[in-house]
Amino acid sequence: MKPKDQILTRMYMVLTLLSIVPVIVAAQIGWIVLTEKGELRDRAKEQARSTVKIPAMRGSILDASGRTLATNTARYDLALDPTVEGFASVANRFYEGLASITGRSAAHFRTIVDERYSPQYVALYDGLTERQYEKVKSWEVPGVILTPRFARRYMHGTTAAHVLGHVGGDGQGLSGLELSYNDALAGTPGKRVVTRDRSGRIKAFVGGQVRKPTHGNDLVLTIDLVRQAALEDELRQGVRESKANWGTAVAMDPETGAILAMANVPTYNPNQPGSSQSAARRNRAITDRFEPGSTFKLVGATAAVDQGTVAMDDSVETGEGWAVFHGHTMKDVTAYGTISFAEVISKSSNVGMAKTVRSHVEAGTFYQYARNMGFSTPTWIDLPGEQEGVLKTPDEWSQTTLTSMSIGYEVAVTPLQLVTAYSALANGGRLLKPYVVAERRDVTGKTLWQNEVDSIRRVMKPETARTLRPAFEQAVESGTATEANIEGVEVAGKTGTALQVTDGHYTKEQARASFVGFFPADDPKVTLLVIVGGPETSIYGGAVAAPIFRRVARRWAGTFPSVVDRMTAEPSYGKTRVSSPLDSLLRRPSLPQDSTRTLPNLTGTSTRRALHWLRSHGVDVKLYGQGRVEGQKPKPGAPMPSRVLLESGS
């Protein structure tokens, strides 16, 4: 065979084989269609099916009285399929209607539709309100697509903003309780089975599986809206009057650890978190660490008295108001000379406290008491971002660390740690874990979980707390914190002034003025700390922070019936009170000034004076009534008891 014929033969064979391949493929397809068409149909349907999420409703946040602080509002996203029959005839009227309810021009919406990327879908507006939604729905425009979603709303704007926090665009918590309780609040989305056409458009699937969402839990807080608003008002006013840079305040129930209020200035609106600076969104009460100054004298006083090395009436020589410790000069505001240890606390003598601690408290003991009071660890409050403070171990101390720490320097604490420590003094020595959420409820209102009092440890003996309290009361009555005094209510507390280090030196430009106290002193309901940062009018806590405390306590008093009774029942014995003939008839009986082994006659003594005397002698008191003592148990002359019952006629 000729070469040419061989080539042609091979070509014909290849062409024949190629022509047979489509026949074979077609035959195979036919075979599959005839024998497996049911299975293929099922696979096609399965591939066309999809699922869409059904959003869960985020739980609400309520105050202690059930008022709504944060909740959900329905929002609707508006989209359009302009190819639907009938839309073109009403398009202009539709654009004009949208312009009237959204504030945007009709031309704006017309341009969006004309320049759309997808022929059959275009997003027009996100976040229609319920009223706008009903309006658009009533127009019955062909091709309109309305998709619901939930938006978070904070009912009272800036009130309790740092406690509540805020959510992001996806509805997930970003700060505050919204973040720390995000899983409980968010719930679990449901899902619906749908079908998609070749263009990816969603269509309803009749008989498709639907899993309903599990809506989020509601949170009930320990914070009351009225008290919170009052605290924020007074803190804002105090910061403004003192021309300060910032302020923070936190109040706690000393018997339970429940946070009653927490405020910061500046603040922000969680409805519009992006419109404020990050500094305004910071919860200084738990995130900021600072040298506490004289408020930290509680640690040295507790250690000295609890160890039995110092008595409240021991004399302390403060000299001319200054002393040198290892080359470092420490000063008092004024020269006090020789004073009692109780006066060291009430007058806030730096020299007196430093000398007492240096002579009577070992370094390891001081450190242990500071650590036991929680100054080296977080409080574990149920809010995110808490700092743990700075407390050096004794092996890191210099020669001046003990005396410096005794007056609140070379140590850093958070406001929450400080108010927790003073709550321990108020409740008799128990350090409690603070908390903001009282309980969780499901969507039906059923209680799922309740917070419980968590006593971490005992930081001082009950007798120590009773012994120390009168000195802190005296600080308010006649010491450095007279501006915190409330007529008719005994207040115990301590002022603090802490300078800030600038270029390696302590300066007054960015001082922190503070006051922390509790009331009523003999039956505490509230422990409240106020800190003002960078005040210009004065750097002293007694002049800047104490007045804020007093104004807050007065406004809060109406929310505590027992406190109101005291304020209305007991007359004032202030310095400006004019004497009357009745005063001579009710002249105060004399009480022993020194320690005594027998109980004196307290009849006729004012309840305030009797309480002060008994507590200064380590006696617990149960009081019925106010005014003047008319009866006592045990009777006068009995051996000094650990507990006394006093009765008053008013």
Side-chain angles (χ1 to χ4, degrees):
M1 185 179 292
K2 295 180 180 180
K4 182 178 179 180
D5 294 337
Q6 290 179 346
I7 293 173
L8 289 174
T9 301
R10 290 174 183 173
M11 183 183 300
Y12 291 142
M13 290 178 63
V14 170
L15 290 175
T16 301
L17 291 174
L18 290 175
S19 64
I20 294 174
V21 169
V23 176
I24 296 174
V25 171
Q28 182 66 25
I29 292 174
W31 173 260
I32 292 174
V33 169
L34 292 174
T35 60
E36 302 180 21
K37 62 180 179 180
E39 183 180 349
L40 290 175
R41 187 181 297 112
D42 292 341
R43 288 186 182 181
K45 289 181 179 180
E46 187 66 29
Q47 291 174 0
R49 292 176 189 174
S50 182
T51 59
V52 294
K53 282 187 177 181
I54 304 174
M57 184 172 64
R58 193 172 180 86
S60 297
I61 303 178
L62 314 174
D63 84 336
S65 299
R67 305 180 188 93
T68 301
L69 302 177
T71 189
N72 301 292
T73 54
R75 290 290 186 268
Y76 300 86
D77 295 338
L78 172 62
L80 176 69
D81 180 357
T83 64
V84 172
E85 183 179 355
F87 172 75
S89 62
V90 297
N92 290 333
R93 181 159 51 88
F94 174 65
Y95 298 145
E96 294 292 342
L98 278 184
S100 67
I101 66 173
T102 63
R104 298 179 181 177
S105 66
H108 168 77
F109 294 108
R110 188 178 293 107
T111 300
I112 291 177
V113 173
D114 292 343
E115 297 179 355
R116 66 188 184 275
Y117 177 78
S118 172
Q120 296 173 314
Y121 183 87
V122 58
L124 289 181
Y125 192 88
D126 290 340
L128 289 175
T129 65
E130 189 74 32
R131 182 176 297 181
Q132 291 171 327
Y133 163 77
E134 293 294 341
K135 193 77 172 177
V136 172
K137 189 177 179 181
S138 68
W139 296 340
E140 297 183 350
V141 175
V144 165
I145 304 169
L146 290 165
T147 305
R149 61 183 174 87
F150 295 114
R152 199 65 162 166
R153 182 184 177 192
Y154 301 93
M155 306 298 291
H156 302 279
T158 60
T159 304
H162 296 94
V163 175
L164 299 176
H166 62 274
V167 298
D170 58 355
Q172 298 299 302
L174 296 180
S175 68
L177 293 173
E178 296 280 22
L179 174 59
S180 56
Y181 283 87
N182 184 67
D183 291 343
L185 287 165
T188 305
K191 66 178 182 179
R192 176 185 289 113
V193 177
V194 296
T195 60
R196 296 179 185 271
D197 61 15
R198 285 174 294 180
S199 299
R201 289 176 297 185
I202 295 175
K203 296 182 179 180
F205 176 53
V206 178
Q209 181 184 5
V210 176
R211 188 182 71 190
K212 294 182 179 180
T214 301
H215 296 306
N217 299 156
D218 294 341
L219 303 182
V220 181
L221 308 188
T222 58
I223 290 174
D224 178 82
L225 177 63
V226 174
R227 294 173 186 161
Q228 178 70 28
L231 180 62
E232 292 184 12
D233 287 346
E234 298 301 342
L235 182 63
R236 189 181 305 110
Q237 178 182 340
V239 169
R240 183 173 60 250
E241 290 176 347
S242 63
K243 300 179 181 179
N245 298 326
W246 56 269
T248 187
V250 56
M252 177 187 291
D253 181 341
E255 292 295 332
T256 66
I259 297 298
L260 302 178
M262 184 179 288
N264 294 276
V265 174
T267 186
Y268 78 106
N269 188 339
N271 291 304
Q272 300 171 320
S275 63
S276 57
Q277 297 180 350
S278 59
R281 298 195 297 270
R282 189 167 79 239
N283 187 356
R284 294 179 182 271
I286 63 174
T287 63
D288 282 21
R289 297 180 293 196
F290 68 104
E291 288 181 303
S294 292
T295 52
F296 202 71
K297 290 174 182 175
L298 171 65
V299 176
T302 300
V305 174
D306 205 51
Q307 291 290 309
T309 58
V310 174
M312 300 304 291
D313 56 358
D314 284 355
S315 296
V316 181
E317 177 57 53
T318 66
E320 297 299 320
W322 61 273
V324 178
F325 300 98
H326 297 285
H328 172 70
T329 302
M330 187 176 293
K331 297 180 180 180
D332 284 336
V333 175
T334 186
Y336 297 119
T338 302
I339 56 177
S340 67
F341 183 61
E343 291 176 302
V344 168
I345 297 172
S346 64
K347 297 180 183 296
S348 197
S349 170
N350 293 331
V351 174
M353 183 59 70
K355 283 187 174 182
T356 300
V357 170
R358 184 186 64 172
S359 301
H360 300 286
V361 181
E362 295 181 356
T365 301
F366 185 94
Y367 170 79
Q368 192 61 49
Y369 273 87
R371 190 177 185 281
N372 286 347
M373 288 185 178
F375 290 117
S376 64
T377 58
T379 66
W380 304 113
I381 190 173
D382 47 349
L383 285 171
E386 183 188 12
Q387 298 298 308
E388 62 182 13
V390 177
L391 179 66
K392 297 184 293 186
T393 56
D395 61 323
E396 301 174 293
W397 291 9
S398 67
Q399 290 182 323
T400 62
T401 298
L402 180 59
T403 52
S404 295
M405 275 192 181
S406 71
I407 63 170
Y409 286 93
E410 291 196 40
V411 61
V413 307
T414 67
L416 184 61
Q417 287 176 330
L418 195 57
V419 78
T420 303
Y422 272 82
S423 290
L425 173 64
N427 66 35
R430 294 175 296 118
L431 187 72
L432 303 178
K433 178 184 175 182
Y435 61 94
V436 178
V437 176
E439 61 181 67
R440 289 206 325 258
R441 299 174 182 170
D442 65 15
V443 70
T444 67
K446 179 183 177 182
T447 299
L448 304 175
W449 167 86
Q450 286 183 316
N451 220 323
E452 297 179 353
V453 177
D454 187 354
S455 180
I456 299 173
R457 69 178 69 90
R458 176 164 290 282
V459 300
M460 68 183 81
K461 304 182 187 76
E463 296 79 9
T464 301
R466 288 196 296 267
T467 301
L468 286 173
R469 279 184 212 160
F472 287 89
E473 286 185 62
Q474 196 63 35
V476 176
E477 292 178 1
S478 60
T480 60
T482 55
E483 288 297 319
N485 203 2
I486 306 171
E487 185 176 354
V489 178
E490 300 90 346
V491 176
K494 187 75 190 71
T495 56
T497 301
L499 306 182
Q500 184 165 319
V501 176
T502 303
D503 297 328
H505 301 282
Y506 284 103
T507 62
K508 298 181 179 180
E509 282 72 17
Q510 292 297 321
R512 297 176 177 88
S514 60
F515 176 79
V516 56
F518 49 88
F519 66 93
D522 62 314
D523 185 21
K525 305 296 183 186
V526 178
T527 307
L528 172 61
L529 167 67
V530 178
I531 304 176
V532 179
E536 295 183 8
T537 57
S538 173
I539 65 171
Y540 297 109
V544 176
I548 300 174
F549 177 99
R550 183 185 67 247
R551 294 196 299 264
V552 172
R554 282 177 172 173
R555 292 182 64 174
W556 279 26
T559 65
F560 295 97
S562 61
V563 177
V564 174
D565 292 342
R566 292 176 180 232
M567 296 180 72
T568 57
E570 186 167 0
S572 171
Y573 293 98
K575 293 180 180 179
T576 59
R577 183 176 184 268
V578 179
S579 62
S580 68
L582 182 61
D583 293 333
S584 61
L585 296 175
L586 298 177
R587 197 165 290 140
R588 295 180 177 180
S590 60
L591 294 175
Q593 297 299 316
D594 301 325
S595 60
T596 177
R597 295 183 179 180
T598 59
L599 183 66
N601 184 5
L602 301 171
T603 305
T605 306
S606 70
T607 53
R608 176 180 292 186
R609 185 162 178 250
L611 287 169
H612 184 278
W613 189 92
L614 289 167
R615 283 202 296 269
S616 67
H617 286 76
V619 179
D620 197 9
V621 183
K622 184 68 174 179
L623 175 64
Y624 293 97
Q626 293 292 325
R628 294 193 175 272
V629 177
E630 294 187 358
Q632 65 182 74
K633 294 180 182 179
K635 294 181 179 180
M640 186 65 73
S642 60
R643 183 181 180 87
V644 169
L645 171 66
L646 298 181
E647 296 178 342
S648 174
S650 59

